[in-house]
Amino acid sequence: MRIGVLAVQGAFREHIEALRRCGCAVFEVRKKEELESVDGLVIPGGESTTIGKLISDFGLADVIRERAKHGMPVFGTCAGAVLLAKEIIGSEQPTLGLMDIRVRRNAYGRQVDSFEADLEVPVLGSDPFPGVFIRAPLIEEVGADAEVLATYKQGIVLVRQGKMLAATFHPELTSDLRLHHYFLSFFEN
Amino acid sequence: MGEAKGTWVLKKGLAEMLKGGVIMDVTTPEQAKIAEKAGACAVMALERVPADIRAAGGVARMADPEVILRIMDAVTIPVMAKVRIGHFVEAQILEALGVDYIDESEVLTPADEKHHIDKHQFRVPFVCGARNLGEALRRIGEGAAMIRTKGEAGTGNIVEAVRHMRTVQGEIRWLQSLRPEELMSAAKELGAPYELVKEVAVSGRLPVVNFAAGGVATPADAALMMHLGADGVFVGSGIFKSSDPERRAEAIVAAVTYYNDPQVLAEVSRGLGEPMRGIDLATLNPEERLAVRGW
């Protein structure tokens, strides 16, 4: 199994390290040709406006959409979750629009309001998951096909839709690999 | 459940999110929007870009909060702002304004010739300039969550940024070659905290993100710095002192992502118009050099 990590901007190195610790073969993806040789894709945290612009300018966005519609698993964290959303509230920035979720950027405020908090994520077991929220977005609404996997203070922070996963926090900045392993379970069958 | 704010993970983490990106100096909300649209991962809110600070002379201070707030309102990407070296009250003011990152910067006139700010006291993260590994580790010891080369700001001349990046990377390789019992002596020589010296000797990189800054004027300059080990690039005067800021900004953003792809670099470098004029450093008087400020 070959996992690609979108490496145009942001914290791609941390995802690569986490996936390698999970035992995966991991590849950086910057060009559309590089997308063709991977079985799944992680879209890291970073600035969603920057990543969104680069993947449209360099032709990756269409290929990602096409592959995801044909069942390629995709995992987006923070900016990655924003880019997966069908709608970004109050913004016209480019998005992949693959998941039936509405997202509000910088929902908790500016950097001084960034926070760490333990999350209850039932699909990962009973131990809390370390949630690192950096200028984090919030998932305000999900469609019928999307399943809410975790909330924090009534706000939705983790959603699965088919083989796509969106987290508003940063598992790649922690040493906890459970969410990465959960994503990798999408490749079974 | 408890919530923790202003932690090291969050301060360092925001810098991790900026990696592979370009942080652009802007002086107006309009420029900030141009930068955001061109793909900047953050902007630095200033009253004057370094080339104009150089030309104006006098004492350069923190920008008017009004300017910073208007820029914060104009964009959704992180907004940074500069304080004078050692001026912790300017930093308190910026924290109160809610800026996302503070640059304790040699581009402004230092307020303290001996002491930098104790950055651990703040919830907002700091970036600081460094010319070598010792300076970088002293700043990290004081709480900086991100480092950048000093370069020579406002000159459009990459030579000092190259020198500083090569020096830091070379000293990291030197530490990696040492035996454990030699590291205390190395720490003494570098003037750097022993614990951080040990950490770098093992990991082979700085404990925080390290950007290039000071003299970046072209896509090729930005790509050069990425090859030399930068995690991303600050562009100060290089964009809005050029003849076509929109296109140059876009091109530098693409050059940081595709630094290892000369075909893309050739494509994005075409027809960008005049870069900023630039200054040969040999023509600067020693007192005009900004990089020597701080210690």
Side-chain angles (χ1 to χ4, degrees):
Chain A
M1 185 164 53
R2 298 163 60 91
I3 309 289
V5 177
L6 190 64
V8 299
Q9 194 270 322
F12 50 87
R13 190 171 72 205
E14 286 70 18
H15 270 297
I16 291 168
E17 284 165 6
L19 289 161
R20 289 211 170 120
R21 287 209 306 278
C22 294
C24 292
V26 194
F27 301 87
E28 293 183 1
V29 172
R30 288 187 183 79
K31 309 194 93 173
K32 55 183 178 189
E33 300 76 38
E34 291 163 344
L35 270 172
E36 278 149 26
S37 60
V38 298
D39 305 309
L41 184 69
V42 172
I43 307 178
E47 276 307 307
S48 60
T49 47
T50 306
I51 299 172
K53 179 178 165 51
L54 286 164
I55 62 175
S56 350
D57 287 0
F58 287 86
L60 286 93
D62 289 336
V63 184
I64 295 170
R65 273 190 210 104
E66 200 53 37
R67 293 280 322 269
K69 278 175 188 157
H70 288 89
M72 176 178 73
V74 184
F75 178 18
T77 60
C78 196
V82 171
L83 288 162
L84 285 173
K86 196 159 275 179
E87 188 187 340
I88 305 169
I89 296 164
S91 166
E92 282 167 18
Q93 69 188 80
T95 151
L96 294 166
L98 287 165
M99 289 179 74
D100 196 4
I101 57 178
R102 289 179 80 220
V103 165
R104 183 177 300 281
R105 291 186 55 206
N106 305 331
Y108 302 89
R110 306 196 70 94
Q111 172 62 13
V112 289
D113 305 303
S114 292
F115 63 96
E116 293 184 71
D118 282 345
L119 301 173
E120 281 177 39
V121 188
V123 293
L124 300 182
S126 55
D127 288 343
F129 191 87
V132 178
F133 293 83
I134 298 178
R135 288 172 47 89
L138 179 68
I139 300 168
E140 290 210 344
E141 223 179 296
V142 301
D145 295 338
E147 181 191 356
V148 175
L149 299 182
T151 60
Y152 179 71
K153 290 187 172 169
Q154 280 87 54
I156 301 166
V157 297
L158 181 65
V159 169
R160 176 178 182 171
Q161 180 180 338
K163 292 190 173 181
M164 288 180 288
L165 185 65
T168 62
F169 50 94
H170 293 285
E172 77 280 13
L173 295 185
T174 74
S175 55
D176 196 323
L177 295 174
R178 282 179 293 161
L179 203 53
H180 286 91
H181 279 299
Y182 178 71
F183 172 63
L184 295 172
S185 75
F186 295 3
F187 293 85
E188 289 160 16
N189 315 313
Chain B
M1 275 185 285
E3 228 176 58
K5 294 186 175 181
T7 64
W8 182 243
V9 167
L10 297 168
K11 290 175 171 180
K12 183 171 174 269
L14 178 55
E16 306 286 0
M17 298 307 139
L18 301 172
K19 280 184 308 202
V22 182
I23 300 167
M24 302 182 191
D25 279 5
V26 298
T27 58
T28 65
E30 293 70 34
Q31 288 185 355
K33 283 183 180 149
I34 290 170
E36 182 178 52
K37 191 154 173 275
C41 67
V43 291
M44 178 76 69
L46 291 166
E47 244 166 288
R48 284 196 279 264
V49 296
D52 291 335
I53 290 175
R54 231 173 232 295
V59 175
R61 308 178 180 89
M62 176 189 83
D64 182 341
E66 182 65 25
V67 172
I68 297 168
L69 286 169
R70 286 174 58 216
I71 290 168
M72 284 165 61
D73 279 344
V75 292
T76 61
I77 55 179
V79 176
M80 301 183 167
K82 289 186 194 287
V83 298
R84 286 178 266 177
I85 289 172
H87 206 316
F88 55 86
V89 174
E90 285 187 345
Q92 290 167 354
I93 291 171
L94 291 187
E95 182 171 66
L97 292 176
V99 303
D100 297 297
Y101 237 95
I102 294 177
D103 184 2
E104 186 183 18
S105 177
E106 70 285 357
V107 170
L108 305 182
T109 311
D112 191 322
E113 293 188 332
K114 195 161 179 199
H115 308 101
H116 285 251
I117 295 170
D118 176 9
K119 295 164 273 286
H120 292 294
Q121 302 306 318
F122 290 79
R123 203 156 94 182
V124 61
F126 281 75
V127 54
C128 288
R131 287 162 292 176
N132 52 53
L133 183 59
E135 197 172 15
L137 295 181
R138 287 192 291 278
R139 296 294 85 75
I140 296 166
E142 293 158 357
M146 179 177 182
I147 292 294
R148 55 172 176 75
T149 61
K150 286 183 171 173
E152 191 57 43
T155 62
N157 190 333
I158 199 68
V159 65
E160 289 301 303
V162 167
R163 189 193 319 280
H164 300 161
M165 188 57 77
R166 280 198 186 274
T167 302
V168 168
Q169 302 295 351
E171 287 170 333
I172 290 173
R173 289 192 296 272
W174 167 65
L175 280 189
Q176 286 180 286
S177 74
L178 297 182
R179 291 163 53 93
E181 69 273 19
E182 294 168 340
L183 292 174
M184 183 58 89
S185 162
K188 183 183 173 205
E189 199 174 311
L190 292 170
Y194 177 56
E195 293 303 321
L196 293 176
V197 167
K198 280 199 295 186
E199 191 182 329
V200 171
V202 172
S203 71
R205 62 180 185 223
L206 284 183
V208 302
V209 166
N210 184 20
F211 268 48
V216 176
T218 68
D221 289 345
L224 175 65
M225 296 312 300
M226 294 300 288
H227 275 287
L228 294 178
D231 290 314
V233 171
F234 283 87
V235 188
S237 319
I239 289 171
F240 290 99
K241 285 284 161 191
S242 74
S243 67
D244 189 347
E246 285 91 341
R247 289 199 50 214
R248 185 163 295 268
E250 275 191 336
I252 293 176
V253 168
V256 167
T257 297
Y258 298 101
Y259 70 92
N260 209 9
D261 190 331
Q263 286 297 338
V264 173
L265 296 177
E267 190 55 39
V268 302
S269 299
R270 284 174 61 180
L272 294 181
E274 281 291 306
M276 71 179 283
R277 173 106 170 52
I279 300 172
D280 180 351
L281 294 176
T283 66
L284 282 184
N285 295 319
E287 66 276 14
E288 292 174 309
R289 290 199 172 226
L290 305 179
V292 299
R293 294 168 166 182
W295 59 279

Tab-separated table of all heavy atoms in Angstrom, chain A residues 35-64:
chain	number	residue	atom	x	y	z
A	35	LEU	N	0.337	11.605	-8.194
A	35	LEU	CA	-0.911	11.118	-7.603
A	35	LEU	C	-1.295	9.755	-8.157
A	35	LEU	O	-1.967	8.969	-7.490
A	35	LEU	CB	-2.049	12.089	-7.935
A	35	LEU	CG	-2.306	13.229	-6.972
A	35	LEU	CD1	-3.325	14.172	-7.574
A	35	LEU	CD2	-2.789	12.710	-5.621
A	36	GLU	N	-0.856	9.508	-9.393
A	36	GLU	CA	-1.307	8.284	-10.039
A	36	GLU	C	-0.725	7.032	-9.405
A	36	GLU	O	-1.304	5.965	-9.502
A	36	GLU	CB	-0.989	8.338	-11.541
A	36	GLU	CG	-2.054	9.135	-12.280
A	36	GLU	CD	-1.530	9.870	-13.491
A	36	GLU	OE1	-0.514	9.423	-14.071
A	36	GLU	OE2	-2.143	10.908	-13.855
A	37	SER	N	0.418	7.174	-8.733
A	37	SER	CA	1.073	5.977	-8.195
A	37	SER	C	0.756	5.728	-6.723
A	37	SER	O	1.361	4.868	-6.103
A	37	SER	CB	2.585	6.109	-8.394
A	37	SER	OG	3.038	7.252	-7.717
A	38	VAL	N	-0.179	6.493	-6.139
A	38	VAL	CA	-0.500	6.250	-4.724
A	38	VAL	C	-1.912	5.682	-4.586
A	38	VAL	O	-2.770	5.900	-5.431
A	38	VAL	CB	-0.349	7.534	-3.869
A	38	VAL	CG1	1.088	8.035	-3.907
A	38	VAL	CG2	-1.318	8.619	-4.306
A	39	ASP	N	-2.106	4.946	-3.463
A	39	ASP	CA	-3.411	4.305	-3.230
A	39	ASP	C	-4.312	5.140	-2.333
A	39	ASP	O	-5.509	4.879	-2.225
A	39	ASP	CB	-3.198	2.927	-2.575
A	39	ASP	CG	-2.267	2.054	-3.396
A	39	ASP	OD1	-2.498	1.915	-4.607
A	39	ASP	OD2	-1.278	1.537	-2.831
A	40	GLY	N	-3.714	6.096	-1.634
A	40	GLY	CA	-4.496	6.947	-0.741
A	40	GLY	C	-3.751	8.250	-0.544
A	40	GLY	O	-2.568	8.350	-0.886
A	41	LEU	N	-4.448	9.258	-0.013
A	41	LEU	CA	-3.821	10.580	0.088
A	41	LEU	C	-4.133	11.222	1.444
A	41	LEU	O	-5.267	11.174	1.922
A	41	LEU	CB	-4.345	11.494	-1.027
A	41	LEU	CG	-3.709	12.881	-1.127
A	41	LEU	CD1	-2.254	12.778	-1.598
A	41	LEU	CD2	-4.502	13.783	-2.068
A	42	VAL	N	-3.093	11.830	2.031
A	42	VAL	CA	-3.283	12.639	3.232
A	42	VAL	C	-3.069	14.096	2.851
A	42	VAL	O	-2.084	14.439	2.189
A	42	VAL	CB	-2.300	12.222	4.354
A	42	VAL	CG1	-2.382	13.187	5.524
A	42	VAL	CG2	-2.603	10.796	4.813
A	43	ILE	N	-4.021	14.953	3.239
A	43	ILE	CA	-3.874	16.391	3.013
A	43	ILE	C	-3.589	17.018	4.372
A	43	ILE	O	-4.418	16.964	5.279
A	43	ILE	CB	-5.153	16.997	2.392
A	43	ILE	CG1	-5.531	16.210	1.127
A	43	ILE	CG2	-4.931	18.471	2.060
A	43	ILE	CD1	-6.805	16.696	0.461
A	44	PRO	N	-2.382	17.590	4.529
A	44	PRO	CA	-1.949	18.003	5.862
A	44	PRO	C	-2.515	19.357	6.272
A	44	PRO	O	-3.186	20.037	5.496
A	44	PRO	CB	-0.428	18.110	5.686
A	44	PRO	CG	-0.263	18.556	4.272
A	44	PRO	CD	-1.377	17.877	3.502
A	45	GLY	N	-2.169	19.753	7.492
A	45	GLY	CA	-2.438	21.110	7.941
A	45	GLY	C	-1.482	22.064	7.259
A	45	GLY	O	-0.414	21.675	6.781
A	46	GLY	N	-1.861	23.304	7.211
A	46	GLY	CA	-1.068	24.338	6.556
A	46	GLY	C	-2.020	25.493	6.368
A	46	GLY	O	-2.959	25.651	7.152
A	47	GLU	N	-1.840	26.293	5.331
A	47	GLU	CA	-2.825	27.334	5.043
A	47	GLU	C	-3.693	26.859	3.879
A	47	GLU	O	-3.186	26.611	2.783
A	47	GLU	CB	-2.141	28.662	4.728
A	47	GLU	CG	-1.797	29.448	5.978
A	47	GLU	CD	-2.991	29.645	6.918
A	47	GLU	OE1	-4.055	30.126	6.492
A	47	GLU	OE2	-2.857	29.296	8.116
A	48	SER	N	-4.992	26.770	4.116
A	48	SER	CA	-5.878	26.198	3.093
A	48	SER	C	-5.914	27.074	1.842
A	48	SER	O	-6.076	26.551	0.733
A	48	SER	CB	-7.283	26.010	3.657
A	48	SER	OG	-7.822	27.240	4.087
A	49	THR	N	-5.738	28.395	1.997
A	49	THR	CA	-5.746	29.255	0.805
A	49	THR	C	-4.514	28.969	-0.064
A	49	THR	O	-4.605	28.948	-1.292
A	49	THR	CB	-5.747	30.747	1.201
A	49	THR	OG1	-4.765	30.980	2.215
A	49	THR	CG2	-7.101	31.174	1.733
A	50	THR	N	-3.368	28.740	0.587
A	50	THR	CA	-2.127	28.460	-0.148
A	50	THR	C	-2.205	27.110	-0.842
A	50	THR	O	-1.953	26.992	-2.048
A	50	THR	CB	-0.926	28.462	0.825
A	50	THR	OG1	-0.915	29.685	1.555
A	50	THR	CG2	0.375	28.287	0.083
A	51	ILE	N	-2.578	26.076	-0.070
A	51	ILE	CA	-2.636	24.729	-0.632
A	51	ILE	C	-3.690	24.679	-1.743
A	51	ILE	O	-3.454	24.119	-2.819
A	51	ILE	CB	-2.954	23.688	0.471
A	51	ILE	CG1	-1.858	23.704	1.550
A	51	ILE	CG2	-3.087	22.284	-0.117
A	51	ILE	CD1	-2.161	22.850	2.772
A	52	GLY	N	-4.847	25.308	-1.490
A	52	GLY	CA	-5.933	25.299	-2.471
A	52	GLY	C	-5.513	25.944	-3.775
A	52	GLY	O	-5.832	25.456	-4.863
A	53	LYS	N	-4.788	27.038	-3.680
A	53	LYS	CA	-4.331	27.721	-4.897
A	53	LYS	C	-3.332	26.860	-5.664
A	53	LYS	O	-3.440	26.700	-6.883
A	53	LYS	CB	-3.702	29.070	-4.533
A	53	LYS	CG	-3.182	29.811	-5.757
A	53	LYS	CD	-2.600	31.161	-5.392
A	53	LYS	CE	-1.757	31.727	-6.533
A	53	LYS	NZ	-2.413	31.737	-7.830
A	54	LEU	N	-2.350	26.316	-4.952
A	54	LEU	CA	-1.308	25.536	-5.633
A	54	LEU	C	-1.883	24.287	-6.293
A	54	LEU	O	-1.500	23.944	-7.416
A	54	LEU	CB	-0.189	25.173	-4.651
A	54	LEU	CG	0.726	26.348	-4.273
A	54	LEU	CD1	1.551	26.020	-3.027
A	54	LEU	CD2	1.672	26.711	-5.426
A	55	ILE	N	-2.825	23.605	-5.610
A	55	ILE	CA	-3.351	22.378	-6.236
A	55	ILE	C	-4.275	22.694	-7.415
A	55	ILE	O	-4.415	21.873	-8.307
A	55	ILE	CB	-4.032	21.406	-5.230
A	55	ILE	CG1	-5.239	22.032	-4.560
A	55	ILE	CG2	-3.027	20.876	-4.226
A	55	ILE	CD1	-5.995	21.051	-3.663
A	56	SER	N	-4.882	23.880	-7.444
A	56	SER	CA	-5.626	24.207	-8.668
A	56	SER	C	-4.680	24.657	-9.764
A	56	SER	O	-4.807	24.219	-10.903
A	56	SER	CB	-6.707	25.292	-8.492
A	56	SER	OG	-6.926	25.596	-7.193
A	57	ASP	N	-3.717	25.534	-9.441
A	57	ASP	CA	-2.794	26.038	-10.468
A	57	ASP	C	-2.001	24.907	-11.129
A	57	ASP	O	-1.668	24.994	-12.308
A	57	ASP	CB	-1.799	27.035	-9.865
A	57	ASP	CG	-2.440	28.375	-9.537
A	57	ASP	OD1	-3.662	28.515	-9.779
A	57	ASP	OD2	-1.742	29.270	-9.024
A	58	PHE	N	-1.641	23.885	-10.354
A	58	PHE	CA	-0.778	22.844	-10.901
A	58	PHE	C	-1.543	21.562	-11.251
A	58	PHE	O	-0.963	20.490	-11.404
A	58	PHE	CB	0.400	22.580	-9.962
A	58	PHE	CG	1.413	23.702	-10.013
A	58	PHE	CD1	1.257	24.826	-9.209
A	58	PHE	CD2	2.467	23.674	-10.910
A	58	PHE	CE1	2.161	25.888	-9.293
A	58	PHE	CE2	3.371	24.723	-10.997
A	58	PHE	CZ	3.221	25.834	-10.193
A	59	GLY	N	-2.873	21.695	-11.339
A	59	GLY	CA	-3.671	20.603	-11.896
A	59	GLY	C	-3.885	19.399	-10.992
A	59	GLY	O	-4.357	18.351	-11.462
A	60	LEU	N	-3.558	19.519	-9.697
A	60	LEU	CA	-3.762	18.353	-8.829
A	60	LEU	C	-5.209	18.217	-8.373
A	60	LEU	O	-5.687	17.114	-8.139
A	60	LEU	CB	-2.861	18.448	-7.578
A	60	LEU	CG	-1.379	18.190	-7.773
A	60	LEU	CD1	-0.655	19.494	-8.011
A	60	LEU	CD2	-0.790	17.485	-6.573
A	61	ALA	N	-5.893	19.352	-8.244
A	61	ALA	CA	-7.232	19.322	-7.642
A	61	ALA	C	-8.174	18.406	-8.429
A	61	ALA	O	-8.874	17.573	-7.845
A	61	ALA	CB	-7.791	20.741	-7.551
A	62	ASP	N	-8.164	18.529	-9.753
A	62	ASP	CA	-9.063	17.700	-10.570
A	62	ASP	C	-8.748	16.221	-10.413
A	62	ASP	O	-9.650	15.387	-10.340
A	62	ASP	CB	-8.942	18.098	-12.048
A	62	ASP	CG	-9.573	19.468	-12.300
A	62	ASP	OD1	-10.450	19.862	-11.507
A	62	ASP	OD2	-9.172	20.132	-13.281
A	63	VAL	N	-7.467	15.901	-10.382
A	63	VAL	CA	-7.080	14.487	-10.269
A	63	VAL	C	-7.491	13.935	-8.896
A	63	VAL	O	-7.985	12.806	-8.788
A	63	VAL	CB	-5.562	14.304	-10.500
A	63	VAL	CG1	-5.187	12.827	-10.467
A	63	VAL	CG2	-5.143	14.923	-11.828
A	64	ILE	N	-7.294	14.742	-7.844
A	64	ILE	CA	-7.688	14.283	-6.502
A	64	ILE	C	-9.201	14.023	-6.475
A	64	ILE	O	-9.663	12.986	-5.994
A	64	ILE	CB	-7.310	15.321	-5.417
A	64	ILE	CG1	-5.787	15.475	-5.325
A	64	ILE	CG2	-7.887	14.916	-4.055
A	64	ILE	CD1	-5.317	16.635	-4.456
